[in-house]
Amino acid sequence: MALEPLPPTEARPEKVAVVGAGPAGLTAAYYLALQGYQVVVLEKATVAGGMMALGIPAFRLPREVLAREIRDIESLGVEIRLNCEVGKEISWDQLRREFDAVFLSVGLHRAAKLGIPGEEEFQGVVDGLSFLQQVNLGEPPELSGRVAVIGGGNVAVDCARTALRLGWGPVSILYRRAREEMPAYPEEVESALAEGVEIQFLVAPVAVTGEAGRVAGLTCQRLELGEPDASGRRRPVPVPGSEFAFPCAVVISAMGQAPDRDFLASLEGVEFTSKNLVAVNPVTGATAIPGVFAGGDVVSGPHTVVAAIATGKEAAISIDRYLKGQDLHRGRPKRWQGLAFAPEGLEPQPRVAMPCLPPLQRVKNFQEVELGFKNPV
């Protein structure tokens, strides 16, 4: 059962536009509504939730939970306009005229390309973000057969586990580094392995091959780890003469995410970092444009839902202060000192394992995998 939402304070005349209905945007809208502001969330997709609705599979984030929380936000008076793309249905100039402040939380919805021959030539090559979005909207691509997922992050693991649930397979993840260097959550990797996903490490595709216009496989190359690169991880180095054929009917590219630079650049005055992310004040979330703030993945790069929620809450504080003419920096950032803890005399205990659906049962549907802990007797 959803908790009763907190009542807002006295209504204020200022209007705030939130561009993007992902976790950062919805959080900012929630806290601004509690302060009495008139908040309108503009979302170009057909559903609210951002990557929570379009990227994260339902077996990790049940849609009824997300829908309930969005209803709670709307109950505070927040208006969510779906199918409303800024730059088309409403211009940036109109947005600036009609609203007293703007929060950009548009996420990272462009997928990185593999950059190898054959990628654009054969049917059956899809990017991971588009694949997950299609499945989450109930419109999975009409493909089948053996699947190769390229990448080692959470998107790659989500794609592999989703493909299994669609009845495709067998499913393999090809990752160019070693397992200990995979950026995906270890528990998600373990779940994928338990469900039957194969992971091949130190492997990289060098070309997509096909027949009659459809994917027939990949030409891959073995790698070995060399000296550390700029990320601090050992750089994968090709092993001479190690190329081999990997037969498959579907190739899912999950190599990374990027913002829609062209869309953001249409907002005159916005600045970018060297990584093509929106540049903001690290404490306040303010962009170079007065009254325009930004947060979530479009500022931080790919991160967790919780991290995006945190930026949305901080943005609400900044926007409230901005509209009241107050100091945006006062008392920020908070310096967390931690909790007092004295482990002396305590015996280490193994971590309690989360109860989950059996692997053979969960790969047949999109039911939530983790069952939750029961109250102790």
PDB file of all heavy atoms in Angstrom, residues 139-152:
ATOM      1  N   GLU A 139       6.710  -4.172 -27.222  1.00  0.00           N
ATOM      2  CA  GLU A 139       6.905  -4.299 -28.668  1.00  0.00           C
ATOM      3  C   GLU A 139       8.288  -4.858 -28.980  1.00  0.00           C
ATOM      4  O   GLU A 139       9.115  -4.197 -29.617  1.00  0.00           O
ATOM      5  CB  GLU A 139       6.731  -2.932 -29.339  1.00  0.00           C
ATOM      6  CG  GLU A 139       5.388  -2.284 -29.056  1.00  0.00           C
ATOM      7  CD  GLU A 139       5.332  -0.832 -29.502  1.00  0.00           C
ATOM      8  OE1 GLU A 139       6.400  -0.297 -29.876  1.00  0.00           O
ATOM      9  OE2 GLU A 139       4.248  -0.245 -29.470  1.00  0.00           O
ATOM     10  N   PRO A 140       8.603  -6.072 -28.515  1.00  0.00           N
ATOM     11  CA  PRO A 140       9.946  -6.629 -28.754  1.00  0.00           C
ATOM     12  C   PRO A 140      10.206  -6.835 -30.237  1.00  0.00           C
ATOM     13  O   PRO A 140       9.270  -7.113 -31.009  1.00  0.00           O
ATOM     14  CB  PRO A 140       9.914  -7.961 -28.005  1.00  0.00           C
ATOM     15  CG  PRO A 140       8.469  -8.323 -27.932  1.00  0.00           C
ATOM     16  CD  PRO A 140       7.730  -7.035 -27.812  1.00  0.00           C
ATOM     17  N   PRO A 141      11.460  -6.672 -30.681  1.00  0.00           N
ATOM     18  CA  PRO A 141      11.771  -6.899 -32.100  1.00  0.00           C
ATOM     19  C   PRO A 141      11.515  -8.352 -32.482  1.00  0.00           C
ATOM     20  O   PRO A 141      11.650  -9.264 -31.658  1.00  0.00           O
ATOM     21  CB  PRO A 141      13.258  -6.542 -32.201  1.00  0.00           C
ATOM     22  CG  PRO A 141      13.783  -6.632 -30.804  1.00  0.00           C
ATOM     23  CD  PRO A 141      12.640  -6.286 -29.906  1.00  0.00           C
ATOM     24  N   GLU A 142      11.138  -8.547 -33.728  1.00  0.00           N
ATOM     25  CA  GLU A 142      10.822  -9.897 -34.210  1.00  0.00           C
ATOM     26  C   GLU A 142      12.106 -10.596 -34.632  1.00  0.00           C
ATOM     27  O   GLU A 142      12.431 -10.712 -35.815  1.00  0.00           O
ATOM     28  CB  GLU A 142       9.822  -9.821 -35.358  1.00  0.00           C
ATOM     29  CG  GLU A 142       8.458  -9.262 -34.932  1.00  0.00           C
ATOM     30  CD  GLU A 142       7.466  -9.232 -36.072  1.00  0.00           C
ATOM     31  OE1 GLU A 142       7.842  -9.640 -37.202  1.00  0.00           O
ATOM     32  OE2 GLU A 142       6.330  -8.803 -35.848  1.00  0.00           O
ATOM     33  N   LEU A 143      12.842 -11.058 -33.650  1.00  0.00           N
ATOM     34  CA  LEU A 143      14.099 -11.754 -33.873  1.00  0.00           C
ATOM     35  C   LEU A 143      14.109 -13.029 -33.050  1.00  0.00           C
ATOM     36  O   LEU A 143      13.282 -13.217 -32.161  1.00  0.00           O
ATOM     37  CB  LEU A 143      15.289 -10.874 -33.476  1.00  0.00           C
ATOM     38  CG  LEU A 143      15.438  -9.539 -34.222  1.00  0.00           C
ATOM     39  CD1 LEU A 143      16.489  -8.676 -33.551  1.00  0.00           C
ATOM     40  CD2 LEU A 143      15.803  -9.781 -35.683  1.00  0.00           C
ATOM     41  N   SER A 144      15.047 -13.899 -33.325  1.00  0.00           N
ATOM     42  CA  SER A 144      15.198 -15.128 -32.538  1.00  0.00           C
ATOM     43  C   SER A 144      16.538 -15.753 -32.885  1.00  0.00           C
ATOM     44  O   SER A 144      17.229 -15.316 -33.799  1.00  0.00           O
ATOM     45  CB  SER A 144      14.054 -16.115 -32.838  1.00  0.00           C
ATOM     46  OG  SER A 144      14.069 -16.494 -34.207  1.00  0.00           O
ATOM     47  N   GLY A 145      16.878 -16.790 -32.124  1.00  0.00           N
ATOM     48  CA  GLY A 145      18.119 -17.484 -32.389  1.00  0.00           C
ATOM     49  C   GLY A 145      19.197 -17.152 -31.385  1.00  0.00           C
ATOM     50  O   GLY A 145      18.952 -16.490 -30.360  1.00  0.00           O
ATOM     51  N   ARG A 146      20.404 -17.594 -31.664  1.00  0.00           N
ATOM     52  CA  ARG A 146      21.524 -17.368 -30.755  1.00  0.00           C
ATOM     53  C   ARG A 146      21.861 -15.886 -30.672  1.00  0.00           C
ATOM     54  O   ARG A 146      21.900 -15.191 -31.683  1.00  0.00           O
ATOM     55  CB  ARG A 146      22.749 -18.158 -31.207  1.00  0.00           C
ATOM     56  CG  ARG A 146      23.892 -18.114 -30.186  1.00  0.00           C
ATOM     57  CD  ARG A 146      25.065 -18.973 -30.608  1.00  0.00           C
ATOM     58  NE  ARG A 146      26.068 -19.010 -29.546  1.00  0.00           N
ATOM     59  CZ  ARG A 146      27.249 -19.621 -29.646  1.00  0.00           C
ATOM     60  NH1 ARG A 146      27.571 -20.257 -30.771  1.00  0.00           N
ATOM     61  NH2 ARG A 146      28.087 -19.607 -28.636  1.00  0.00           N
ATOM     62  N   VAL A 147      22.114 -15.413 -29.457  1.00  0.00           N
ATOM     63  CA  VAL A 147      22.312 -13.987 -29.198  1.00  0.00           C
ATOM     64  C   VAL A 147      23.728 -13.735 -28.689  1.00  0.00           C
ATOM     65  O   VAL A 147      24.217 -14.439 -27.799  1.00  0.00           O
ATOM     66  CB  VAL A 147      21.292 -13.464 -28.158  1.00  0.00           C
ATOM     67  CG1 VAL A 147      21.506 -11.971 -27.898  1.00  0.00           C
ATOM     68  CG2 VAL A 147      19.869 -13.740 -28.612  1.00  0.00           C
ATOM     69  N   ALA A 148      24.354 -12.684 -29.236  1.00  0.00           N
ATOM     70  CA  ALA A 148      25.628 -12.192 -28.719  1.00  0.00           C
ATOM     71  C   ALA A 148      25.405 -10.781 -28.205  1.00  0.00           C
ATOM     72  O   ALA A 148      24.999  -9.890 -28.964  1.00  0.00           O
ATOM     73  CB  ALA A 148      26.693 -12.196 -29.815  1.00  0.00           C
ATOM     74  N   VAL A 149      25.630 -10.580 -26.901  1.00  0.00           N
ATOM     75  CA  VAL A 149      25.518  -9.260 -26.299  1.00  0.00           C
ATOM     76  C   VAL A 149      26.934  -8.732 -26.096  1.00  0.00           C
ATOM     77  O   VAL A 149      27.762  -9.382 -25.449  1.00  0.00           O
ATOM     78  CB  VAL A 149      24.773  -9.311 -24.951  1.00  0.00           C
ATOM     79  CG1 VAL A 149      24.652  -7.909 -24.359  1.00  0.00           C
ATOM     80  CG2 VAL A 149      23.393  -9.938 -25.122  1.00  0.00           C
ATOM     81  N   ILE A 150      27.200  -7.528 -26.629  1.00  0.00           N
ATOM     82  CA  ILE A 150      28.545  -6.963 -26.568  1.00  0.00           C
ATOM     83  C   ILE A 150      28.586  -5.898 -25.477  1.00  0.00           C
ATOM     84  O   ILE A 150      27.901  -4.882 -25.559  1.00  0.00           O
ATOM     85  CB  ILE A 150      28.959  -6.335 -27.915  1.00  0.00           C
ATOM     86  CG1 ILE A 150      28.607  -7.272 -29.083  1.00  0.00           C
ATOM     87  CG2 ILE A 150      30.440  -6.007 -27.895  1.00  0.00           C
ATOM     88  CD1 ILE A 150      29.232  -8.635 -29.003  1.00  0.00           C
ATOM     89  N   GLY A 151      29.392  -6.130 -24.436  1.00  0.00           N
ATOM     90  CA  GLY A 151      29.513  -5.168 -23.350  1.00  0.00           C
ATOM     91  C   GLY A 151      29.603  -5.870 -22.008  1.00  0.00           C
ATOM     92  O   GLY A 151      29.384  -7.078 -21.913  1.00  0.00           O
ATOM     93  N   GLY A 152      29.916  -5.103 -20.961  1.00  0.00           N
ATOM     94  CA  GLY A 152      30.068  -5.703 -19.637  1.00  0.00           C
ATOM     95  C   GLY A 152      29.379  -4.933 -18.528  1.00  0.00           C
ATOM     96  O   GLY A 152      29.628  -5.200 -17.353  1.00  0.00           O
TER      97      GLY A 152
END
